[in-house]
Amino acid sequence: QVQLVESGGGLVQAGGSLRLSCAASGRILSIYTMAWYRQAPGKQRELVASVTRGGNTDYVDSVKGRFTISRDNAKNTLYLQMNSLKPEDTSVYYCAAAPPIRYPPHSYDYWGQGTQVTVSS
C-alpha cells in the first residue's frame, strides 16, 4: 500500500532553516512526480515545489532561492530544504505524489498527513 509520511517540521525563528522529509512506501513511487504543498489557516493549498523522476524542479516564486526540493530514489525519500525562513512560510506542509502520465500533473493521487512548520518573528 502506498504511504507518504512527512517529518521534520517544527518551530523555528525567522531566518532559520528546516529540512522536511517524506518517506514513501512502494518502489513505484520512484517514477512519480513528487511535490510539497502547504496550506496556511484561511488560505488555499499552494504548490510549493515539485520534482520529476529525472530531477527537473519547479518552485513557487515566493520560495525561489530559499527552498530546495530533492529526492533520493534509492531511499524513496523526498526532501525540502528550507532556508531563510519567514513568518509567512508558516503552514502545514504536505508531501504528494502523481504518476508520470503528464507534466505538470493535473492532480496528485497520494498525500501525506502533513507536518507543521511554524516560523516566529
Side-chain angles (χ1 to χ4, degrees):
Q1 185 69 33
V2 173
Q3 287 187 312
L4 302 174
V5 181
E6 302 99 331
S7 62
L11 175 64
V12 65
Q13 289 186 313
S17 298
L18 286 172
R19 188 179 74 161
L20 306 183
S21 298
C22 172
S25 65
R27 290 187 296 175
I28 190 173
L29 295 179
S30 68
I31 67 171
Y32 279 28
T33 298
M34 304 292 293
W36 289 99
Y37 276 78
R38 65 186 180 187
Q39 188 168 25
K43 302 291 176 56
Q44 296 186 58
R45 186 167 293 189
E46 175 185 43
L47 177 61
V48 178
S50 64
V51 58
T52 69
R53 65 178 179 178
N56 293 323
T57 59
D58 286 298
Y59 299 90
V60 67
D61 287 345
S62 61
V63 309
K64 288 180 179 177
R66 300 189 297 119
F67 291 11
T68 303
I69 189 171
S70 62
R71 67 195 301 168
D72 185 333
N73 287 333
K75 295 181 178 180
N76 232 8
T77 301
L78 179 73
Y79 303 98
L80 185 66
Q81 179 66 46
M82 304 186 294
N83 298 325
S84 301
L85 282 161
K86 303 175 180 179
E88 51 262 47
D89 295 319
T90 295
S91 285
V92 177
Y93 283 73
Y94 299 90
C95 176
I101 57 175
R102 70 171 68 196
Y103 188 82
H106 182 72
S107 63
Y108 285 83
D109 294 350
Y110 303 102
W111 294 83
Q113 82 288 347
T115 186
Q116 177 70 47
V117 172
T118 302
V119 184
S120 65
S121 59

